[in-house]
Amino acid sequence: MPKLKSNRGAAKRFKRTATGKFTHDPAFASHILTKKNPKRKRKLRKAAVSSKADTKRLNRMLPYA
């Protein structure tokens, strides 16, 4: 069987952790920041963990990640 291709868009956006979960940078952090409160902006700096349903999908998209 040939090698599987990774989804390149997903490979650039997600990283697998040591426990097999996926992290990503959250959306809504790039512009229109004046109306967002400081607590929300501070939380947007940290990487977020993908949901369980998305993890199943990401495992198929990134077989070697």
Side-chain angles (χ1 to χ4, degrees), residues 1 3 9 14 17 25 29 36 40 43 45 55 58-59:
M1 193 167 138
K3 287 195 282 186
F14 296 91
T17 63
D25 289 329
K36 294 169 186 151
R40 183 174 166 193
K43 284 186 177 276
R45 281 187 224 144
T55 300
L58 286 165
N59 278 322

Side-chain angles (χ1 to χ4, degrees), residues 14-55:
F14 296 91
K15 257 189 237 162
R16 195 189 303 261
T17 63
T19 57
K21 295 175 184 172
F22 285 93
T23 60
H24 63 90
D25 289 329
F28 310 112
S30 59
H31 63 110
I32 316 177
L33 298 171
T34 51
K35 63 174 79 168
K36 294 169 186 151
N37 63 27
K39 181 181 177 181
R40 183 174 166 193
K41 289 189 278 192
R42 196 163 54 245
K43 284 186 177 276
L44 286 170
R45 281 187 224 144
K46 293 186 176 178
V49 178
S50 296
S51 69
K52 192 177 175 185
D54 287 334
T55 300

